[in-house]
Amino acid sequence: MARSMLSILVLGLLARRASAQCCATAAMLRFSCSQLVIERLDPLVSPGVIGSPHNHQIVGGNSFNASMPPVEYDPSKESTCTTCTFSEDFSNYWTANLYFRARNGSFKRVPQMVNLGLEGNGGITVYYIPPYDGKTKVTAFKPGFRMLVGDAMLRTATGMCGGGIRTTITFPTCWDGQNLDSPDHKSHVAYPSTGSFETTGPCPASHPVRLPQLIMGDPTGYGQHGDYVFGWKGDALQRAMDQRCTGTTCPGLGTQSAAQATACTKEQTVKEDVDGWLDTLPGNAPITY
Ligand SMILES: *[C@@H]1O[C@H](CO)[C@@H](O)[C@H](O)[C@H]1NC(C)=O
Ligand SMILES: *[C@@H]1O[C@H](CO)[C@@H](O)[C@H](O)[C@H]1NC(C)=O
């Protein structure tokens, strides 16, 4: 059973690759952002709160802070280093942590691992994808832009894969062109009105500006969610999308080694044990089903 499922998956991948080759080169930035800090802060959902309800793994620029007000706060100006391979990407990306609960009731954080073929310390794999047709333009995010996808309260398998613990967080790709944020951190962006990003589906009239497809991958459960605060320096991301760069190779864009990326770290603001056995989840977060 397992073997036949695996071969179906492999065939699916081959079919996808073949169809991508037929029509266009599927260009995409794909790179690693190592762990910056494990921390109970959430500048989007709980701005200014020292000790958000649950903890996160944060990656990216080291100016990550409990409060990062839009417009005034540009991570590319506040940060002195980043954990991302692209050395001009000072954005912050964060996701909730997965905990293992032992039979005796104690909890332990499941460590994040760097993706196959990439180097770093934990963290996540980040993708920025321009339309697969090889020509449609996207508008890179603006300084101060942020968004959230997912729902920490979700407890069912709606729209998610039931087979394992790797998730892919796929952000919306259409923007209203005006607001860098919205009260729920979601309404200023939207998914294509028909079709999908992959099929170059049109953006709804309310959100006409086509954004790069931002994807983050890491292991977790249904309540997983991803937060993003844009922080690329200048127009580096726009240039990468316009040039249809792939992987970590992009003329004119700076990169750094895994050693340099992992040297960028940040001290916890909320001092908490992140690796040991715990009697309760950090912040005494309730377990709900
Ligand atoms: C957060 O950022 C602001 C503005 O840069 C700074 O004044 C403040 O000290 C920072 N707070 C922490 C806890 O780093
Ligand atoms: C549960 O098991 C772990 C691993 O053996 C141990 O470190 C922890 O102290 C135990 N917790 C309790 C409450 O006994």
Side-chain angles (χ1 to χ4, degrees), residues 102-106 277-279:
R103 283 188 195 146
N104 69 8
S106 294
W277 287 93
L278 306 172
D279 294 337

Side-chain angles (χ1 to χ4, degrees), residues 116-287:
L116 196 67
L118 296 178
E119 283 181 86
N121 165 31
I124 59 172
T125 309
V126 178
Y127 298 77
Y128 286 90
I129 314 175
Y132 288 166
D133 66 2
K135 54 177 196 274
T136 303
K137 285 252 185 182
V138 283
T139 302
F141 310 97
K142 306 281 178 225
F145 182 91
R146 61 272 319 280
M147 61 180 166
L148 180 161
V149 64
D151 179 357
M153 297 299 136
L154 192 65
R155 294 292 178 274
T156 55
T158 319
M160 290 183 81
C161 148
I165 56 166
R166 180 199 151 144
T167 57
T168 301
I169 298 174
T170 307
F171 282 88
T173 54
C174 300
W175 178 41
D176 68 11
Q178 308 264 322
N179 297 297
L180 298 172
D181 198 0
S182 48
D184 62 358
H185 313 294
K186 294 180 176 181
S187 319
H188 59 312
V189 287
Y191 290 97
S193 48
T194 56
S196 63
F197 178 81
E198 286 81 355
T199 60
T200 326
C203 282
S206 54
H207 296 76
V209 182
R210 213 181 270 277
L211 299 168
Q213 172 73 78
L214 173 61
I215 296 178
M216 296 162 23
D218 87 335
T220 186
Y222 300 133
Q224 180 57 303
H225 49 283
D227 294 75
Y228 175 62
V229 171
F230 171 79
W232 284 75
K233 201 168 175 184
D235 64 348
L237 179 61
Q238 186 70 59
R239 282 185 281 122
M241 293 291 100
D242 290 350
Q243 292 182 83
R244 293 297 205 265
C245 291
T246 282
T248 58
T249 308
C250 195
L253 262 70
T255 55
Q256 60 181 354
S257 67
Q260 287 169 311
T262 54
C264 183
T265 57
K266 188 175 189 301
E267 268 198 30
Q268 275 186 325
T269 305
V270 184
K271 305 278 182 216
E272 270 172 344
D273 183 358
V274 295
D275 292 318
W277 287 93
L278 306 172
D279 294 337
T280 64
L281 288 174
N284 210 0
I287 296 169

